[in-house]
Amino acid sequence: PPFWFSPITGIYSSKFPSIHLPVDPNLDAISALFSHRHHGDAALVDSLTGFSISHTELQIMVQSMAAGIYHVLGVRQGDVVSLVLPNSVYFPMIFLSLISLGAIVTTMNPSSSLGEIKKQVSECNVGLAFTSAENVDKLSSLEVRVIIVPESYDFDLIRIENPKFYAVMKESFGFVPKPLIKQDDVAAIMYSSGTTGATKGVLLTHRNLIASMELFVRFEASQYEYPGWSNVYLAALPLCHIYGLSLFVMGLLSLGSTIVVMRRFDASDVINVIERFKITHFPVVPPMLMALTKKAKGVCGEVFKSLKQVSSGAAPLSRKFIEDFLQTLPHVDLIQGYGMTESTAVGTRGFNSEKLSRYSSVGLLAPNMQAKVVDWSSGSFLPPGNRGELWVQGPGVMKGYLNNPKATQMSIVEDSWLRTGDIAYFDEDGYLFIVDRIKEIIKYKGFQIAPADLEAVLVSHPLIIDAAVTAAPNEECGEIPVAFVVRRQEATLSEQDVISYVAAQVAPYRKVRKVVMVSSIPKSPTGKILRKELKRILTKSVSS
Ligand code: 4UW
């Protein structure tokens, strides 16, 4: 057998030598981040205005903002603060400042509905939020103290128009007592539905964030022929999701790379931004790759001269997209990566994906990570070439779910193994291929949608007796949520009524996009929704 697989234990190990992670139990992720020395110049650049701050300035601003947050806002170690923010240069500054104080950050998608924000605010016990103007009313109605984060980088203007934020950011308060932060303390609570049920808070510790920075981002950069600090990354992925957060906010800032931040993804803008800022690396989700390829076909190749690498993840990438991209931009390296919120994005990354067959692989296990491929009927551990549920183990794996020991016990099994809910196999060279998903989550453009969350909204409708949600494949978005609905007998409820009802209560990306009226929901004797059966009904209704 290869050195990276043991037929006795069934354990796959990383092909890379282990990386020495800091052993001091009293270490916070921000001290670890800023302890790295590098040659970096510009750290964060706003793609719209070109406003930029250097790595040195970033460090100073984080210190001064932490002091402002401590003295002006009274935030203390262990307090949970929410970021309900679109991408901006301020996002990393605020995140790093809060974490450095030992506060716990919970991120929310800025398009979240009042109901979604309410759930997270109450579960996490959020007292303060940093948010953009459009979410102020929602948060205030929940009695959360709000700090509005400006869109502008004109500090003279901010001093007049938003003196509160200015005071937090710029006033110099000098001394902040440094709390004792342990690596095992929780730093962030990210939301994910895991393998089943509603969305849950994923507890990520300082140790998890450090592991993600070292094993995912810094390790990959160490494999390039050129130094990581010379790269210019485009951050169009949402920083509120684990992929953007661990890559841009932690890993790349520690490397000294330059990050050009886009408020939101737009394919035409992206092309201008790539040319203007000479972007070298562009991490994407599959729909972004598709949109980029489409746009690139009509554009002179010179525009993409600087681009070296595009990395895709968070959802499966079809072979068709891969081939199309490689034909359109043959000089650009395409890799895939795989990770989860529950693993702090640590998982696999593609390296030297020289053969076309390898492009559809999500790459090799990160250093210090181990995996098992488990046969779901017999429970046995499978060797290379065999498909089963992927389990992973390593320092990126979360502490557990917030206030939910049962869900934690179901996800982290045999002491330390995280069940991914993905069906996968390793090939004879140790490359991982994700082939299916057995967990319930729907991936819409790489974002998670928990069927259970939508089902709860659906059955709250007075005319709906029962409901179930599953995914339908969709070329542009990967998957879209489809609702199966059982109406009250006398009810005149249309498919459009159902779509509108849900749309009013969830973030736009999570809305139901198709409705199938049924007379009953297929369930097991114990009342569990038979999702496979739903999928079957769906395929039948499409093909007939
Ligand atoms: N192919 C097929 C993939 C893939 C995938 C993820 O929302 P979460 O919890 O987290 C993410 C994290 C994505 C990510 C992390 C680190 C990294 O290097 C990278 O590379 C580009 C991406 O999406 O959803 C986790 C679930 O998303 C699916 C899979 O089902 C996983 O359990 N998923 N990446 N390349 N499916």
Side-chain angles (χ1 to χ4, degrees):
F3 72 91
W4 43 266
F5 175 70
S6 158
I8 299 160
T9 57
I11 294 177
Y12 294 82
S13 301
S14 173
K15 287 176 87 172
F16 301 108
S18 290
I19 286 178
H20 185 72
L21 294 173
V23 287
D24 182 356
N26 301 324
L27 178 67
D28 70 279
I30 309 312
S31 302
L33 188 159
F34 286 130
S35 72
H36 287 292
R37 299 172 64 180
H38 55 71
H39 306 264
D41 180 14
L44 294 160
V45 183
D46 172 44
S47 71
L48 204 62
T49 58
F51 168 81
S52 107
I53 60 172
S54 70
H55 284 276
T56 311
E57 282 164 338
L58 173 70
Q59 204 164 341
I60 294 167
M61 285 177 114
V62 166
Q63 254 169 31
S64 125
M65 194 176 246
I69 291 170
Y70 184 90
H71 290 291
V72 180
L73 302 177
V75 171
R76 295 292 178 268
Q77 183 171 21
D79 289 353
V80 184
V81 179
S82 162
L83 302 194
V84 197
L85 279 178
N87 284 5
S88 74
V89 167
Y90 295 119
F91 190 119
M93 281 167 50
I94 300 168
F95 181 86
L96 300 177
S97 306
L98 284 164
I99 303 282
S100 75
L101 290 169
I104 299 167
V105 173
T106 186
T107 61
M108 297 182 200
N109 190 299
S111 71
S112 301
S113 69
L114 177 62
E116 290 160 346
I117 295 177
K118 189 174 170 185
K119 169 179 146 91
Q120 204 168 327
V121 158
S122 88
E123 285 178 2
C124 296
N125 204 6
V126 171
L128 173 75
F130 285 84
T131 188
S132 46
E134 69 264 24
N135 278 313
V136 172
D137 290 347
K138 288 182 208 159
L139 286 153
S140 305
S141 75
L142 300 169
E143 290 173 16
V144 173
R145 265 201 308 156
V146 169
I147 301 299
I148 303 174
V149 178
E151 279 189 33
S152 150
Y153 299 99
D154 178 341
F155 296 138
D156 291 331
L157 193 73
I158 294 170
R159 190 208 300 257
I160 298 160
E161 291 189 345
N162 190 344
K164 195 139 181 205
F165 184 77
Y166 188 86
V168 172
M169 179 179 63
K170 278 275 178 167
E171 302 286 3
S172 181
F173 298 94
F175 185 70
V176 184
K178 183 130 181 73
L180 179 76
I181 299 173
K182 298 197 203 71
Q183 284 208 47
D184 286 329
D185 290 347
V186 174
I189 309 177
M190 313 288 288
Y191 267 64
S192 163
S193 61
T195 51
T196 182
T199 43
K200 298 174 269 292
V202 175
L203 302 174
L204 300 179
T205 62
H206 287 264
R207 184 187 305 284
N208 292 147
L209 293 182
I210 293 168
S212 169
M213 185 167 86
E214 298 297 337
L215 308 178
F216 159 30
V217 187
R218 297 182 62 85
F219 172 72
E220 181 179 330
S222 74
Q223 303 294 300
Y224 299 149
E225 295 148 14
Y226 38 87
W229 55 262
S230 66
N231 298 338
V232 183
Y233 281 81
L234 179 54
L237 290 169
L239 299 178
C240 58
H241 181 251
I242 195 67
Y243 180 8
L245 190 78
S246 47
L247 179 60
F248 297 114
V249 179
M250 297 293 302
L252 294 174
L253 287 177
S254 84
L255 264 174
S257 309
T258 298
I259 302 168
V260 178
V261 185
M262 273 185 98
R263 200 172 162 86
R264 67 177 65 80
F265 175 78
D266 174 283
S268 310
D269 291 351
V270 157
I271 292 186
N272 297 331
V273 170
I274 290 175
E275 188 177 25
R276 176 170 169 205
F277 295 100
K278 299 192 172 51
I279 299 296
T280 60
H281 288 63
F282 186 20
V284 298
V285 291
M288 288 186 184
L289 187 79
M290 190 172 87
L292 178 72
T293 312
K294 222 182 199 167
K295 283 276 172 202
K297 286 187 199 293
V299 177
C300 153
E302 276 295 291
V303 172
F304 296 97
K305 212 172 66 190
S306 59
L307 198 60
K308 289 183 187 157
Q309 188 210 62
V310 170
S311 49
S312 172
L317 193 57
S318 74
R319 201 180 168 95
K320 192 172 139 232
F321 285 5
I322 297 171
E323 283 171 0
D324 207 15
F325 177 83
L326 295 172
Q327 261 165 23
T328 312
L329 293 172
H331 77 282
V332 181
D333 193 19
L334 176 66
I335 65 158
Q336 285 200 68
Y338 164 85
M340 292 167 75
T341 309
E342 288 84 346
S343 75
T344 329
V346 187
T348 61
R349 293 284 287 181
F351 299 94
N352 313 318
S353 36
E354 66 283 0
K355 285 187 274 171
L356 189 59
S357 67
R358 286 278 165 77
Y359 285 108
S360 29
S361 158
V362 296
L364 298 167
L365 266 182
N368 306 31
M369 289 299 283
Q370 297 185 316
K372 285 182 188 177
V373 175
V374 185
D375 183 296
W376 51 93
S377 52
S378 68
S380 58
F381 303 129
L382 303 170
N386 291 271
R387 297 170 173 206
E389 188 189 1
L390 180 73
W391 293 7
V392 297
Q393 174 184 268
V397 173
M398 65 169 176
K399 191 165 186 166
Y401 291 111
L402 173 69
N403 299 334
N404 202 335
K406 202 168 146 219
T408 307
Q409 250 171 38
M410 274 168 60
S411 288
I412 300 177
V413 293
E414 294 179 16
D415 214 25
S416 57
W417 291 92
L418 174 69
R419 294 185 57 173
T420 66
D422 292 309
I423 300 294
Y425 70 91
F426 286 93
D427 74 5
E428 69 285 3
D429 295 317
Y431 282 81
L432 184 69
F433 292 78
I434 306 288
V435 291
D436 201 359
R437 203 184 299 135
I438 42 171
K439 57 186 165 189
E440 294 164 2
I441 60 159
I442 299 167
K443 279 265 164 157
Y444 175 84
K445 296 190 172 177
F447 286 118
Q448 284 198 17
I449 304 174
D453 287 348
L454 294 182
E455 285 154 7
V457 173
L458 285 163
V459 298
S460 74
H461 191 294
L463 298 178
I464 296 177
I465 304 174
D466 203 358
V469 174
T470 191
N474 178 280
E475 170 151 281
E476 192 197 333
C477 311
E479 292 174 340
I480 53 167
V482 180
F484 289 75
V485 169
V486 183
R487 282 178 285 204
R488 273 191 200 292
Q489 233 162 27
E490 70 284 9
T492 50
L493 184 73
S494 71
E495 291 166 13
Q496 192 50 50
D497 292 340
V498 175
I499 291 177
S500 311
Y501 179 74
V502 177
Q505 298 183 61
V506 299
Y509 73 90
R510 298 170 83 195
K511 66 186 181 202
V512 164
R513 282 163 204 271
K514 190 173 155 37
V515 175
V516 182
M517 296 293 180
V518 288
S519 56
S520 69
I521 301 291
K523 288 193 183 157
S524 73
T526 56
K528 222 169 157 260
I529 295 169
L530 296 171
R531 292 177 195 279
K532 271 211 184 110
E533 186 58 21
L534 294 177
K535 287 226 159 68
R536 210 184 54 79
I537 301 173
L538 202 60
T539 334
K540 230 171 66 189
S541 80
V542 171
S543 59
S544 62

